Every structure is written in structure tokens, then in C-alpha cells.
Amino acid sequence: MLWSYWTRQDILFVDCSANLNADSTKDCLISGKGGVLCTVDGKTGTLIWELTKSTVPNLIDIYSAQYISDLDGDGFNEILIAHTSDQSGHLIILSGRGGELIGQLHSPDKEGLFTAPRVLVTKDGSYSVIFATGAFDSPGAIYSVPLTSIAKSQSMVDSGIYKIWQGPLGVSSGFVIADMTGDGYDDVIFTTGSSLMVLNSDNFTVHWNVSSYRGADTTQKFQISVGPSLAYYDGDNIPDLLVTHSVGSSFPTYYYSQTWVASGKNGEQLLLEPLMGSSDMNAPGISISFTGKGNDMFLFWVSSCNVPATQMKMSYSFVKGSSMQDKANADLCKLRFNKTLELQLFALNQHIEPPGFQLYSSGIYWDIEHNNSSVPTYKDVKRPSLEWSEGGSEPFNQVTIKRPKYLPYPPKGADENMDAFPQYPEMQVENTRNDVFPINVNLGDSALDYSLQEPPLRGMKMDSVLDGRNERRTLRSAQDEGPRTLPRASATATLAKPLETSGIDVVFATHWETPAANVRIVTAIEELCIKNRIEAAKIASELDDLNVEVVEETAARECLPQYNDEDSDAGQLTVYRFGFKCQCSNLRNGEVCSQPLPISHQSFPHRATEVYFKARH
């Protein structure tokens, strides 16, 4: 392990894409619950600066932060933040160098901001910030405001803020930014309830909106809980989207999930059938960009109970009194089907038959992930291999696509440094308002000594290389014959420079945890059993309200299976790094084997707070 850094509360966002102390390593911006907001040296893991914990007790105190370009001309990136407390919501800009307040703006009606904001370049060359109010289960809206208005702490009246969308439910999985109309300007992709929507950034009208795949069971309730992934899947110049619907009564009582690919042009389904999985929610996916059109791959997670689809679709409910935490951590495969949950990572493009090529399975790596007595050597890891002929396969989707042709990189006219931040014009920041949100910063050991060091050059490119091929960190030892465990993938995968000479590396982490003890569900058959026993008791004698409750409890004990699980907080994290290369056979005359693009030209290599899809031309 290179380093570790502990925070006082849960971390929600980590952005390691900028350098703040003029060394040779990019530094990490960390934000989350309990007022956690700090920057950490990317090389040593020591604190650069952190926001002082508020002295006002708050039940809600959440920060979602991301780097943006330099605004004040000091040569260092600034930080754009959405903050929500019990009292109000704010958009805040801090100096990346030392954490000083540059500017801020109250949210409309001081509503909470639970989604990270995004910066858009408008057609007149100015910069606007897109942000959302509301939550996934309450009404919400999306607003646009000039970046300069936040930097100058302008009042709501003078800020130029305006509402671009509103709905009965808020944004459920954050924004993804990509050019979906082909006009060269980024548009806004988001999910709300069961809907996947695209807003045209030209006038923020709805470009298209789909609420489910074609042929979906309209009697069921659908919810999109994780953000879509983007890739050039079908061979045109508009990125397509891989999206997962959870199907069930309401969070977290989902029966199953269905993953499908939506055309970026109109939202039409591109797979013959959606891919079914269990109801367990995993991290959103990423994609791998390849040379040639229509060769990109989605990398996505699927959890499975390994039972027929007809069984997966059977309804269930939790017994009365189950806590939300127990529901979210229940071993539903065991409770519903007496099966073991399997976590899988797939790679899918139009040339590979769905569900795709399996890169990882928790069943295959179970021994490695549960043997915490030693770090496995590199040879212990089974290396998946994929042989795919660009010229010898037809697309596995519903549209007719011309055979891909070789497309060299970088694209004509493309910026060599596709990871560079846009350069904003320097702003004269004047902040004379008295009602600003208080910002107090503690400087850490790795803070920059401004008097001794020169700021880095603007536009400096600093590549990040992950060291180590398989790193494991034990959270707590698991017993040889301990309780059941649940495999989880709560952190998104990321792409990295290959440790070998070609290809691309895929880095991801999985962990296992013990399920909630003694949580119970009621299946349709068990519910019928309980109902029949209650009806029989009512026929036998008249029951008042108190006796009905006693009969219900007795019927539940008689109809539901009994378990004696023990609570445990054991768990273990395993970090994987796979080298990914493709081989081709049966190439036709003039065809070239498609290969992953270099990391600097990958369109969607990670899911950090900067969720932007880099277009290829």
C-alpha cells in the first residue's frame, strides 16, 4: 500500500486530477459526509489543507467537490463545491492552493444540493454551472448559472440563474456531460426516477427521454439508481449509453435489475434482450475506447443469484419493523433462493455476444479475497484472455451496421492533451458581501510554501501512473469458517497506463462484507401462508385489533423460516489490476486489428467527479 488517509466521516468523492503543491504528483481532493472536505498530497498521503469542522451541529453536512481550472491567475486549479447542511445549500468556489474562499451562491430557496455540479461551455464561449436541487424521492429541478456569478458572490437576483428543468422527482444519479447532438457542444445527460434524459445545451430543451426499454413489463415499477456509461457502441458519431433499471416496489425492495444499451441518437434499445441480474446495486460502469468505429467496450458490473428469470421476477417484501440498513445489507440470494450471490465484471461491445466477456467473477476469486494471511503473488491471479476478430463477427444488436474500418489516433485536429482543464479568463474577484458561508481552513504538512516555490506552468500535463498489480487491505480478519459473505463493488473501475508495452490496464476494487443478521423477507408463497392462517383464525373466533396483531405474529413465525445469524463487521478489500489487450484472427485484406487507445485518448476512463465524455472526431 502506498499510503492511507483517514477522515472523520464517510468519503463520497475523490478527485486526483490536479496538482496543488508544485511537486511532480497530482493531489487528491476528498469530500463527503460530516463536513469532510480536504486536499491530500498524492505522493505521501499527508494533509495539504482541510476545512475546519463546523461548530454548529448538523444532521446533514455534505460536500461534493471537484477541481476546475484556475480562476484567480495563481497557476493552480480551483475547487467547485456543492454543499448541503440542515440550513441551506450553497455553491462554493475555493482556492485550490490554500482553500481560501473565492465566491459562493445560495441555492434557490436554500434547497439541498445532493448532486455534484458540472461546468459547461456555452456557444458564446462563456462558462455556466449546471446543478440540481431535490433528491431521488422528492421533487427536483436543474438550474444554470454563470461561473462568474459564483466567483463574484453575486446575489440571486443579479446572478443570472435560471431553471432549465423541473420534475416530480429529482436527479437520481448525477450528471454525465457529452455531445449528444453532434454540434460540438456538450449536452446534459441525467436520470430521474425511471427516465434517462438528454437536454440539448443549445436551449436546454429535452433532446430525448426514455423511461424503459422496449417491451418492458409496464406493471412493474422501475428506478435508475446508478448513472449511465457512455461509449461509441454502434459505429456512428454519437455516444451510446449503457443503463441499468432496478425493478421492484421501491428502494431498497427491488426484485431484479435489467441492463441494456440505448442509442445515443434517440434512446432506442440496441440489444435484442436486456441483461438480467439480481437486485443488488453496484458501482456504475466505464468504457474502453478502441481504434476503429463501433469497437468501444462497456465495462459494467452485474450481480447474479444464478436462478432462472422467472424466479428472479417473483415479488417479496421485508417483514414489518426491518430497518433500512438491514434491508440494504440483506443477503437476498440466500433469503429468496438459498443461493450464493455472485459479482461479475463484463466487457461488451457490438461484436461480442451479450452479456459480454467476463473479466472477473467473485466465485473464481473467492479464495484470494478470503485468504487474508498473505498478499497473493502475481501468478496467483488468473489472467482472462479474449480473442476477437474485428473482421469476422457481426453486431449482436438490432440495427444494421457497416463493418468497422481502422481509425488512427489521435483524431484529426484533436488536442494532444485531452485531459487538460479548459482555461478560463482571469476574473477580478470582489467579495464584499457579509452573508457569506464561513470558510475556515487548517493547513497541513504538505501545504505549499508560497514564498519558496514557483507555481507550475499553465496547461502542464502530469500523467498519473498506478503502481502495483494486486493490492489488498484487510479491514478485519475473517474466520476460516465464518458467516456468509456478500461480494460488493461500490467503487467504480478506472483505466490506467499499461504496465506492459501495449494495451490498457483496468484497475478496480471489490470487497466482501457480512450480511445483516436475522433480517427476514416474505415471499409470495409465504405471504399466502400467513394470509390463510389469519383467515382461519378469524373464522374460528372473533378477533379484536390486539388479537389480530398477535395472530399475525404467530402466523409469521409458523410460515417463515427461522435463522440464527450472528452480527459481524468483518470484511476485506481487494484491488485488482488487469492488463487488457486484444488479438485478432482471420483478418481480411486491408483490415487492421483494433487495439485500445492510449490512456490520454480514452473517452470515458473513470467516474470521478469530472464525469465528462471526451468526444472523438
Side-chain angles (χ1 to χ4, degrees):
M1 183 165 61
L2 296 178
W3 53 263
S4 63
Y5 183 83
W6 294 91
T7 60
R8 60 178 176 266
Q9 286 286 344
D10 293 348
I11 295 171
L12 298 178
F13 301 97
V14 178
D15 186 350
C16 300
S17 60
N19 183 268
L20 300 179
N21 56 5
D23 61 9
S24 59
T25 306
K26 294 179 180 179
D27 303 308
C28 295
L29 169 64
I30 298 172
S31 56
K33 300 178 182 178
V36 169
L37 180 65
C38 61
T39 55
V40 175
D41 187 287
K43 185 175 183 179
T44 64
T46 54
L47 179 70
I48 298 176
W49 58 260
E50 69 175 352
L51 200 66
T52 305
K53 182 174 174 58
S54 173
T55 57
V56 179
N58 287 307
L59 292 176
I60 300 176
D61 192 10
I62 298 175
Y63 286 92
S64 59
Q66 62 187 286
Y67 288 121
I68 60 173
S69 293
D70 180 23
L71 296 178
D72 56 11
D74 66 356
F76 292 89
N77 294 80
E78 318 301 359
I79 296 171
L80 174 64
I81 303 162
H83 174 245
T84 294
S85 66
D86 291 356
Q87 291 77 33
S88 63
H90 296 81
L91 290 171
I92 303 170
I93 298 177
L94 299 183
S95 165
R97 187 171 74 167
E100 299 88 359
L101 176 67
I102 292 179
Q104 66 168 305
L105 181 74
H106 284 289
S107 62
D109 300 321
K110 297 186 177 181
E111 292 184 81
L113 307 177
F114 298 100
T115 301
R118 297 285 176 258
V119 178
L120 279 182
V121 182
T122 61
K123 287 192 174 181
D124 64 4
S126 62
Y127 295 88
S128 63
V129 175
I130 306 298
F131 66 97
T133 61
F136 76 95
D137 57 353
S138 62
I142 301 176
Y143 295 86
S144 175
V145 63
L147 180 65
T148 54
S149 297
I150 307 173
K152 296 179 180 180
S153 297
Q154 291 184 328
S155 66
M156 188 67 64
V157 175
D158 299 327
S159 66
I161 187 173
Y162 66 100
K163 185 184 298 183
I164 62 177
W165 176 87
Q166 66 178 356
L169 297 174
V171 175
S172 58
S173 61
F175 298 114
V176 180
I177 306 300
D179 180 10
M180 301 297 291
T181 59
D183 63 356
Y185 291 88
D186 285 333
D187 304 300
V188 181
I189 305 164
F190 67 100
T191 63
T192 174
S194 64
S195 295
L196 173 65
M197 302 184 70
V198 177
L199 298 182
N200 188 333
S201 62
D202 188 22
N203 50 17
F204 294 114
T205 56
V206 176
H207 182 52
W208 55 258
N209 169 24
V210 293
S211 58
S212 64
Y213 56 89
R214 185 171 56 252
D217 184 357
T218 56
T219 64
Q220 298 280 15
K221 292 183 179 180
F222 290 78
Q223 171 74 42
I224 302 176
S225 302
V226 296
S229 305
L230 278 73
Y232 291 113
Y233 178 84
D234 64 3
D236 60 25
N237 293 322
I238 303 297
D240 307 300
L241 301 98
L242 182 138
V243 61
T244 297
H245 274 98
S246 297
V247 185
S249 59
S250 62
F251 175 82
T253 311
Y254 297 130
Y255 311 146
Y256 59 96
S257 65
Q258 292 196 311
T259 300
W260 54 291
V261 179
S263 167
K265 286 186 175 181
N266 52 23
E268 277 291 311
Q269 179 180 336
L270 295 182
L271 297 182
L272 291 173
E273 295 289 341
L275 312 176
M276 178 172 286
S278 73
S279 58
D280 295 79
M281 287 187 293
N282 298 304
I286 58 173
S287 63
I288 303 179
S289 302
F290 282 78
T291 56
K293 289 188 176 182
N295 298 330
D296 290 5
M297 288 184 178
F298 290 111
L299 289 184
F300 62 100
W301 294 99
V302 172
S303 293
S304 175
C305 296
N306 294 310
V307 297
T310 52
Q311 287 185 256
M312 287 298 304
K313 293 182 178 181
M314 294 176 62
S315 63
Y316 72 93
S317 61
F318 288 97
V319 298
K320 293 180 180 179
S322 299
S323 69
M324 184 62 71
Q325 183 175 1
D326 283 349
K327 292 178 181 179
N329 294 324
D331 187 350
L332 291 173
C333 288
K334 176 70 174 180
L335 295 174
R336 297 177 68 190
F337 315 114
N338 198 27
K339 294 285 187 178
T340 299
L341 177 67
E342 182 180 9
L343 177 66
Q344 300 166 315
L345 179 64
F346 285 102
L348 174 68
N349 72 4
Q350 63 168 325
H351 305 287
I352 304 174
E353 185 175 4
F357 175 72
Q358 187 185 88
L359 286 175
Y360 164 89
S361 166
S362 59
I364 295 175
Y365 289 89
W366 196 95
D367 289 340
I368 290 177
E369 295 175 356
H370 289 75
N371 178 16
N372 56 18
S373 60
S374 63
V375 176
T377 60
Y378 188 56
K379 66 181 180 181
D380 289 334
V381 180
K382 302 176 179 64
R383 302 186 189 183
S385 61
L386 170 64
E387 184 169 327
W388 157 54
S389 172
E390 177 182 323
S393 62
E394 294 300 326
F396 287 95
N397 55 30
Q398 298 192 125
V399 295
T400 301
I401 301 174
K402 295 181 179 179
R403 187 170 302 283
K405 296 182 180 179
Y406 175 70
L407 180 67
Y409 64 83
K412 185 177 180 180
D415 184 355
E416 284 292 335
N417 184 7
M418 294 177 70
D419 289 324
F421 286 89
Q423 298 302 315
Y424 306 139
E426 293 183 13
M427 300 179 183
Q428 297 297 322
V429 178
E430 297 180 2
N431 195 340
T432 58
R433 296 178 59 194
N434 296 321
D435 60 341
V436 297
F437 184 77
I439 298 292
N440 298 305
V441 174
N442 292 330
L443 295 180
D445 294 337
S446 293
L448 180 64
D449 185 345
Y450 307 137
S451 62
L452 298 179
Q453 301 191 48
E454 294 294 327
L457 296 176
R458 292 186 181 218
M460 180 182 294
K461 181 179 180 181
M462 298 181 182
D463 295 323
S464 176
V465 179
L466 298 177
D467 295 325
R469 300 196 177 195
N470 188 293
E471 177 191 329
R472 305 164 72 248
R473 179 160 65 92
T474 301
L475 305 181
R476 182 173 174 179
S477 297
Q479 302 298 320
D480 291 338
E481 296 181 358
R484 301 189 315 273
T485 63
L486 296 176
R488 300 296 196 197
S490 56
T492 59
T494 188
L495 302 184
K497 279 186 173 181
L499 295 178
E500 298 182 357
T501 56
S502 61
I504 200 79
D505 282 7
V506 180
V507 182
F508 61 91
T510 66
H511 70 278
W512 60 262
E513 60 187 27
T514 52
N518 298 312
V519 63
R520 296 292 173 264
I521 66 168
V522 182
T523 65
I525 295 176
E526 292 162 350
E527 186 175 5
L528 180 61
C529 172
I530 294 173
K531 181 179 179 180
N532 289 339
R533 289 180 182 272
I534 294 174
E535 291 298 324
K538 287 181 178 180
I539 294 173
S541 61
E542 293 186 4
L543 301 176
D544 56 27
D545 291 342
L546 180 61
N547 287 331
V548 168
E549 187 173 332
V550 172
V551 169
E552 288 178 346
E553 292 178 355
T554 302
R557 284 197 302 270
E558 293 173 349
C559 294
L560 299 179
Q562 300 299 310
Y563 299 99
N564 293 308
D565 296 337
E566 295 183 1
D567 282 312
S568 172
D569 60 354
Q572 183 173 301
L573 174 75
T574 306
V575 180
Y576 293 92
R577 182 167 186 156
F578 286 170
F580 195 101
K581 293 189 293 185
C582 288
Q583 298 176 342
C584 297
S585 59
N586 302 321
L587 290 176
R588 300 177 184 178
N589 187 31
E591 290 183 331
V592 179
C593 188
S594 181
Q595 291 293 335
L597 292 175
I599 186 65
S600 60
H601 288 82
Q602 289 289 327
S603 292
F604 206 61
H606 59 76
R607 295 294 295 244
T609 50
E610 291 274 325
V611 188
Y612 295 86
F613 183 86
K614 302 170 189 173
R616 288 160 58 195
H617 304 285

